[in-house]
Amino acid sequence: SGKSTFLRTMAVSAGASTRGGPCHVYGLDFGSRGLHMLDALPHVGAIVNGDDDERVGRVLRMLRDTIDERAVRYATVRAGSITEYRALAEEPDEPRILLLIDGFPAFRQDYEIGPRMRTYDRFQSIATDGRQVGVHVVVAADRPSAIPAALGSMIQRRLVLRLAGENDYVLAGIDPDALVEAPPGRGFAEAAEVQIAVLGGSSNTAEQAMAMHQLAAEMIDTIARDPAPEIGRLPDVVHLGSLPSSTDAGAGGDAETPVEAVVGIEDESLGSMVVRLDDPLFVIGPPRSGKTTTLVTLALALRRARPHIVLAYVGDGRSRLVDAVSFDHVLRTGSDLRAQLEQLTDVVVGHGSRPGSIAVLLEDAPRLSNLDEDPELTALFEAAARAGQVLIADGETSAALNSSWGLMKSVRVSRHGIALVPDQFDGDAMFKTPFPPLNRRDYPPGRGIYVRNGRITRFQVALPDLDVAT
């Protein structure tokens, strides 16, 4: 009937009709990807597929934050609309923002009920609060009943295109015979019969796409305005050297500052992922999920933040962790492990007046807990915890789930950790914190969920260097 074409025309007009000031466009495509040719236009910030949960949420968070920021800014000059603000604040280039949603029923089905409800609630708040500050919503649906009453009450204008049945026309307040033989794009806006314009004057989508690219080139050359901010995505590869060495809070690196490490990029803001290490941290994941790389990154990030920290390793020493990090103490499983553990425990106790001065890394904690030296390992772990030192352990998820005694009991008690390439049920099983529905394809090696105090953060672990095995 022309719904996607109408949304494309809205987006084109938003950039080409400059008399009303600049306008930025963002789109959520839950239809047949009819909006993607808009990506070439400089005033279009992002067209996001409906199955890209990460960026759908990020678009809506950005718009909600924009509304909140503008509400404060407009209030300072006593402006009741974007038009008034442009005049009163002498900011003629303050852009309107259009949010286009193609296939609204699919969006509603995926987000209205269930673990993504917060995203849908955020959308509704945008529709409610956005208009006064220049953030507008345009939704396309295949029938009037697909629009819930709560949203329908906020819609000021409707365009009715050809519908499937007579009842739909009755609900829309249109004569059922009015559009029976109508071509795509023919409809009613209020009481007026209209025909939607098409860029390029052709119903062929390939020709429309070509015209879109030509328009984009002309707009870039002739309209001297900043392009719309893009909506990024969480990268699959991050290098530790590209991140800050410490946070402002932990920059001092002394006993009075929190023990923190910048270890990657977090999902919500695409900013630095900061891990607090006041409590023992447990890293879990299936084979080849990035556990070894995560331990290397944590150790190196700690040393970047606190150059004088003492690093101690306990494990079989067969991974590349020992070669990648310059440990001050290396305790390998073997005949003299018990004596070494007792000596390291004395060192930890001796640093009791300086919390955060020692970090102990236990590689493959479930396997260590099965050794005869489990009592000494547990004593070391508990002594370090009492002294406020850094404790990091890792283990394969399946083995960790089946271990809850001795050392593993102490490791798991903090409910603080990182689940790499997680399963939805890992949260409840390991950290007593439910995870939302997860899709494994969204979690390449090194991507995981950080759990602290019952809150979760999705993030990508940074690579210390290209030669470290995952």
Side-chain angles (χ1 to χ4, degrees):
S1 63
K3 297 188 299 295
S4 298
T5 301
F6 170 71
L7 294 179
R8 291 198 297 267
T9 296
M10 284 285 293
V12 169
S13 298
S17 304
T18 58
R19 184 174 57 185
C23 185
H24 294 165
V25 176
Y26 296 88
L28 305 182
D29 196 337
F30 285 80
S32 56
R33 304 203 173 189
L35 301 185
H36 278 267
M37 66 178 73
L38 297 171
D39 263 331
L41 299 173
H43 68 289
V44 175
I47 301 297
V48 180
N49 284 338
D51 59 0
D52 191 342
D53 299 340
E54 174 190 338
R55 295 182 77 215
V56 167
R58 189 166 292 122
V59 167
L60 297 179
R61 283 196 300 271
M62 182 274 291
L63 294 179
R64 182 65 251 183
D65 291 345
T66 298
I67 291 170
D68 293 340
E69 184 271 334
R70 286 188 176 186
V72 173
R73 191 152 42 89
Y74 288 19
T76 60
V77 295
R78 299 182 180 180
S81 67
I82 186 172
T83 303
E84 291 180 5
Y85 177 80
R86 286 170 172 171
L88 293 171
E90 297 182 354
E91 293 284 353
D93 288 335
E94 176 87 350
R96 289 187 185 273
I97 300 176
L98 289 186
L99 172 63
L100 311 178
I101 302 183
D102 198 7
F104 178 78
F107 168 67
R108 182 185 177 191
Q109 179 178 346
D110 289 349
Y111 286 88
E112 186 177 25
I113 299 175
R116 300 170 181 162
M117 285 178 61
R118 290 180 61 187
T119 299
Y120 188 81
D121 291 343
R122 189 173 288 121
F123 159 74
Q124 285 197 302
S125 74
I126 292 168
T128 303
D129 304 331
R131 186 166 176 258
Q132 286 187 322
V133 294
V135 178
H136 308 274
V137 175
V138 185
V139 300
D142 52 4
R143 61 190 188 279
S145 59
I147 304 298
L151 178 61
S153 64
M154 293 180 277
I155 293 176
Q156 288 85 29
R157 303 192 68 181
R158 290 173 173 79
L159 169 69
V160 181
L161 301 172
R162 191 176 64 244
L163 297 172
E166 290 188 4
N167 290 337
D168 290 334
Y169 286 110
V170 172
L171 287 174
I174 301 296
D175 184 347
D177 298 327
L179 298 172
V180 172
E181 302 295 333
R186 182 68 54 82
F188 285 87
E190 308 304 330
E193 186 174 2
V194 299
Q195 178 67 40
I196 301 304
V198 178
L199 182 65
S202 171
S203 60
N204 185 295
T205 54
E207 294 182 12
Q208 291 179 33
M210 186 178 300
M212 201 79 68
H213 283 277
Q214 292 174 351
L215 175 64
E218 292 173 7
M219 291 178 67
I220 292 171
D221 291 338
T222 60
I223 300 178
R225 281 183 173 148
D226 293 333
E230 297 183 359
I231 301 297
R233 75 170 59 247
L234 192 62
D236 291 346
V237 177
V238 182
H239 293 284
L240 187 60
S242 67
L243 303 174
S245 59
S246 65
T247 63
D248 292 339
D254 55 37
E256 301 301 322
T257 58
V259 184
E260 298 179 338
V262 180
V263 298
I265 297 293
E266 59 102 352
D267 172 59
E268 185 158 326
S269 68
L270 298 183
S272 297
M273 177 65 204
V274 179
V275 171
R276 288 286 298 268
L277 293 167
D278 310 89
D279 299 315
L281 179 81
F282 191 26
V283 180
I284 63 169
R288 303 188 65 81
S289 59
K291 294 188 299 297
T292 299
T293 297
T294 301
L295 290 186
V296 173
T297 297
L298 283 162
L300 296 182
L302 272 169
R303 183 146 279 168
R304 293 177 81 206
R306 295 179 171 234
H308 302 296
I309 195 168
V310 175
L311 297 179
Y313 166 87
V314 182
D316 60 21
R318 290 184 292 182
S319 77
R320 297 188 64 184
L321 175 57
V322 175
D323 297 327
V325 179
S326 297
F327 285 100
D328 300 285
H329 301 274
V330 176
L331 282 64
R332 288 184 169 90
T333 54
S335 58
D336 61 344
L337 178 60
R338 180 173 281 109
Q340 293 182 71
L341 288 170
E342 292 174 351
Q343 292 174 6
L344 182 57
T345 302
D346 291 340
V347 172
V348 168
V349 172
H351 282 70
S353 61
R354 290 180 289 160
S357 60
I358 297 180
V360 180
L361 279 72
L362 306 176
E363 187 171 31
D364 197 356
R367 181 178 177 276
L368 291 175
S369 70
N370 290 322
L371 299 176
D372 293 338
E373 292 84 359
D374 178 69
E376 287 76 18
L377 283 162
T378 304
L380 168 64
F381 193 95
E382 293 179 350
R386 286 194 299 271
Q389 307 300 352
V390 177
L391 287 163
I392 301 171
D394 86 323
E396 189 176 328
T397 304
S398 58
L401 288 171
N402 295 320
S403 302
S404 58
W405 56 87
L407 172 64
M408 284 302 299
K409 181 179 179 180
S410 299
V411 168
R412 295 177 58 171
V413 72
S414 69
R415 301 176 183 175
H416 174 219
I418 296 170
L420 297 167
V421 193
D423 185 271
Q424 181 179 343
F425 303 103
D426 292 345
D428 275 322
M430 293 303 305
F431 306 109
K432 307 301 182 187
T433 301
F435 288 174
L438 303 174
N439 191 330
R440 278 289 179 93
R441 67 181 176 83
D442 295 331
Y443 287 83
R447 183 161 299 174
I449 293 177
Y450 174 58
V451 185
R452 179 179 172 82
N453 295 333
R455 299 185 62 182
I456 65 174
T457 305
R458 186 168 175 261
F459 79 109
Q460 180 70 35
V461 177
L463 294 174
D465 61 60
L466 296 178
D467 297 326
V468 177
T470 58

